[in-house]
Amino acid sequence: MNPSELQTYLAQNSQVEARFMAKALPYLNAENLKRAPARRYNSAIIQRQADKLFDEFVEQLHGKIARQIRDEQTQSAWIKLIEQANLLETLEDSMADLNFGTEE
């Protein structure tokens, strides 16, 4: 499974991406408001920045799973590991604790 396939799997089987974006977008918008008015980004740029952050998260997750699988790199092996480790639930729970540096 490559990172793109992993991202698709996460989108289809969990709320990880939605929960990530629910934290990333407010953070990025708050940071954007700190910029001078003439230099503020539009919403499309903010969304691209959030998408890039999520892509980096998926890349890191992919690397960690790949190290655990090593021998059998089939999609079924990935799904088996994800299910056995309850990874989707763990990731969803960790998104609730995600902090991009804002103190609330």
Side-chain angles (χ1 to χ4, degrees):
M1 188 178 280
N2 64 38
S4 178
E5 292 170 332
L6 178 59
Q7 189 166 351
T8 300
Y9 180 82
L10 290 173
Q12 292 173 347
N13 296 288
S14 72
Q15 293 295 313
V16 171
E17 184 173 7
R19 291 180 181 186
F20 183 94
M21 291 300 174
K23 297 283 186 148
L25 288 171
Y27 167 75
L28 291 171
N29 281 316
E31 288 296 306
N32 193 39
L33 289 175
K34 295 176 184 176
R35 297 172 61 84
R39 296 189 166 261
R40 288 188 183 146
Y41 299 131
N42 65 36
S43 60
I45 292 173
I46 298 292
Q47 183 63 52
R48 282 196 301 271
Q49 288 177 333
D51 291 341
K52 183 178 178 190
L53 287 173
F54 187 69
D55 290 345
E56 291 170 2
F57 167 77
V58 171
E59 288 280 341
Q60 290 175 358
L61 178 62
H62 179 270
K64 289 178 181 179
I65 296 172
R67 283 191 296 274
Q68 299 226 351
I69 293 181
R70 292 188 194 149
D71 298 332
E72 191 176 352
Q73 291 289 327
T74 65
Q75 188 165 358
S76 61
W78 280 72
I79 292 170
K80 182 179 176 184
L81 177 70
I82 290 168
E83 289 174 352
Q84 285 179 341
N86 290 324
L87 190 58
L88 296 179
E89 294 84 6
T90 302
L91 288 171
E92 286 178 351
D93 290 345
S94 70
M95 291 300 112
D97 298 330
L98 186 62
N99 184 349
F100 283 95
T102 57
E103 295 296 323
E104 295 185 35

